[in-house]
Amino acid sequence: MQELLNIFVKSIFIDNMVFAYFLGMCSYIAVSKTVKTSVGLGLAVIFVLGITVPIGYLMNEFLLKPGALVWLDSEFIDVDLSFLSFIMFIAVIASMVQLVEMIVEKFSPALYASLGIFLPLIAVNCAILGGSLFMQEREYQSLAQATSFALGSGLGWFLAIVGIAAIREKIKYSNVPGPLKGIGITFIITGLMGIAFMSFLGIKL
Amino acid sequence: MSEQTQERESLFSAKNRKLISNAIGKDNPITVQVLGICSALAVTAKLEPAIVMSISVLFVLGIGNVVISLLRNTIPQRIRIIVQLVVIAALVILVDQVLKAFAYEVSKQLSVFVGLIITNCIIMGRFEAFSMANKPWPSFLDGVGNSIGYGLILVIIAFFRELFGSGTILGWNVFETIGLYDIGYVNNGLMILPPMALIATGIIIWVQRSRNPELIKD
């Protein structure tokens, strides 16, 4: 249990998707003009990460890892399909996003109305594929660990985009030098926020 | 008639050259279109991975643009994103396997970022905006131009980060050779940390927009 909490907190603050790995920067810059839309996108990212990473974990465990096909027959011990992982993960993500969109539209029109336009965008958000790839690279031991990593990174991304959106709403009233207006100052503020987040380095639970 | 004039249009006509020069300068994918920042910043702590990354993107985008452009009339509108993703993923797997075979050290440094070329917005962006509507040769040029523009920014950022952060260029120890350490210079560790990549990009955008005021929006 403590291990799970550790992974969760670590992936929110220390290994933050935006500040430590720059994942999902494109939508982070493009959609952070107002707090309201960024909350919507942030929630959608948590949601999709929370679904795709556990599925990716199961696929990695039972299909892709070297020797993962042993559960079918012991003669598959030498089969290594890990070179297929990119195409498998992106296929899972694209189809899950489609599926999630249809389910949400059917059962919760209110949520669909607030997330609607962002869901299709998420298929090409690097944070989602990055979640699956980091999960594979860091070799989490159980499904629960992979899930807590996914939810933690989603929450970290959510915090980052809501934070920058709030700052951008306020900075509109400041006298920024002309050429820096818009994305220039956003980059620099994100860098400063990243430095602030680095103060969490070395926290051990 | 128009078909004939198009055929006679030379391979490097002014219009085609513009596809490349625009993408490097005033239509740069990173600083102006704000695409593909995700992977761009993460690999720029050292010059070598940045160069390898640029070449990988050049390969994927150049070939991918041609493939999509050849397929553009047969791809159904509704499932085009999945078709595009499959084309990109196949090319990226090639790049990844080649890197693992011939440049294992660099491939370890790039870690997941090779895989993330798949969701690199430059590639999807160019497929959607250009090669779905244009012939193979202009699409190829567009792909090459955009990846050069992308690589240029990567190399500039990586050059400064490696020079000031570790005092080296491509592993060659510059500052020690010219004797800066003897007069008390200390490497700036801040440059290697991730946030400096963002600030460096911000400064490049600042410089570019001060020189081209027409790029200023908002």
Side-chain angles (χ1 to χ4, degrees):
Chain A
M1 196 58 216
Q2 204 201 348
E3 178 70 26
L4 294 185
L5 193 68
N6 195 355
I7 292 177
F8 185 69
V9 174
K10 196 163 177 269
S11 51
I12 297 178
F13 293 110
I14 302 170
D15 290 338
N16 187 291
M17 280 282 187
V18 174
F19 299 127
Y21 298 105
F22 313 108
L23 295 181
M25 283 302 284
C26 309
S27 30
Y28 172 87
I29 303 270
V31 190
S32 61
K33 286 204 175 102
T34 60
V35 171
K36 210 172 148 220
T37 50
S38 59
V39 168
L41 184 67
L43 287 177
V45 166
I46 299 182
F47 196 55
V48 176
L49 261 180
I51 293 173
T52 54
V53 172
I55 293 181
Y57 176 81
L58 292 176
M59 278 182 29
N60 192 36
E61 206 67 1
F62 294 110
L63 281 176
L64 300 170
K65 260 194 350 197
L69 288 170
V70 161
W71 60 275
L72 271 179
D73 195 295
S74 56
E75 65 183 89
F76 290 131
I77 188 86
D78 293 328
V79 179
D80 177 5
L81 292 179
S82 52
F83 67 93
L84 282 178
S85 41
F86 295 156
I87 216 161
M88 295 294 266
F89 286 153
I90 199 72
V92 165
I93 290 167
S95 48
M96 282 318 293
V97 166
Q98 201 81 53
L99 200 67
V100 165
E101 195 184 350
M102 289 192 300
I103 292 173
V104 172
E105 189 179 10
K106 180 97 173 109
F107 291 105
S108 168
L111 183 65
Y112 182 75
S114 57
L115 293 186
I117 44 167
F118 298 122
L119 277 173
L121 273 181
I122 282 181
V124 287
N125 186 326
C126 337
I128 310 289
L129 183 63
S132 290
L133 293 177
F134 273 127
M135 175 273 299
Q136 191 188 32
E137 191 184 86
R138 291 181 193 160
E139 292 169 353
Y140 287 115
Q141 301 303 318
S142 68
L143 189 60
Q145 286 189 6
T147 315
S148 77
F149 160 73
L151 294 176
S153 348
L155 196 59
W157 202 87
F158 174 85
L159 284 178
I161 193 169
V162 173
I164 192 79
I167 294 177
R168 281 181 81 172
E169 275 190 0
K170 291 281 175 281
I171 213 163
K172 260 191 301 204
Y173 305 109
S174 320
N175 191 10
V176 179
L180 262 184
K181 270 188 187 145
I183 61 168
I185 195 75
T186 311
F187 271 106
I188 292 180
I189 292 173
T190 310
L192 296 177
M193 284 167 81
I195 293 177
F197 261 68
M198 289 186 72
S199 58
F200 292 110
L201 273 180
I203 287 184
K204 262 212 138 56
L205 288 170
Chain B
M1 183 60 201
S2 66
E3 200 61 33
Q4 277 179 339
T5 44
Q6 281 224 325
E7 264 170 38
R8 264 191 271 118
E9 188 179 323
S10 73
L11 286 181
F12 288 99
S13 62
K15 201 171 117 225
N16 283 344
R17 275 200 310 263
K18 236 188 168 136
L19 286 174
I20 290 190
S21 62
N22 265 3
I24 295 173
K26 68 175 187 219
D27 212 9
N28 189 289
I30 293 185
T31 59
V32 182
Q33 303 175 51
V34 204
L35 295 176
I37 306 158
C38 330
S39 51
L41 304 180
V43 299
T44 50
K46 288 260 185 300
L47 200 50
E48 195 187 356
I51 293 174
V52 173
M53 186 73 184
S54 316
I55 296 173
S56 313
V57 169
L58 178 72
F59 173 78
V60 175
L61 190 52
I63 310 245
N65 251 354
V66 173
V67 172
I68 291 292
S69 172
L70 289 171
L71 292 174
R72 70 185 186 280
N73 294 324
T74 50
I75 299 177
Q77 269 297 308
R78 307 197 58 173
I79 58 159
R80 65 180 195 283
I81 294 198
I82 299 197
V83 175
Q84 290 164 357
L85 283 175
V86 170
V87 170
I88 307 171
L91 290 167
V92 170
I93 289 176
L94 277 180
V95 169
D96 184 49
Q97 298 293 319
V98 168
L99 282 183
K100 275 195 182 133
F102 296 108
Y104 190 71
E105 281 305 307
V106 181
S107 143
K108 265 267 165 292
Q109 279 177 29
L110 289 173
S111 76
V112 300
F113 292 98
V114 179
L116 286 172
I117 297 177
I118 298 175
T119 46
N120 193 322
C121 339
I122 289 187
I123 300 188
M124 286 298 276
R126 290 332 289 173
F127 281 9
E128 281 286 299
F130 200 88
S131 53
M132 284 296 281
N134 284 285
K135 291 210 153 103
W137 176 247
S139 307
F140 177 72
L141 289 180
D142 181 75
V144 170
N146 274 287
S147 17
I148 293 175
Y150 168 89
L152 188 70
I153 303 287
L154 245 71
V155 167
I156 295 176
I157 300 176
F159 177 81
F160 285 111
R161 283 182 75 192
E162 188 176 345
L163 183 64
F164 293 117
S166 335
T168 55
I169 291 175
L170 283 172
W172 180 64
N173 218 325
V174 184
F175 284 175
E176 205 178 288
T177 317
I178 53 176
L180 264 185
Y181 293 122
D182 300 334
I183 53 173
Y185 177 80
V186 181
N187 279 336
N188 185 354
L190 193 63
M191 290 302 279
I192 306 185
L193 299 177
M196 274 318 286
L198 287 159
I199 294 178
T201 318
I203 293 172
I204 290 180
I205 292 175
W206 190 1
V207 171
Q208 197 194 12
R209 295 200 173 179
S210 325
R211 291 169 56 99
N212 294 322
E214 75 264 31
L215 292 177
I216 299 174
K217 283 172 243 155
D218 293 342

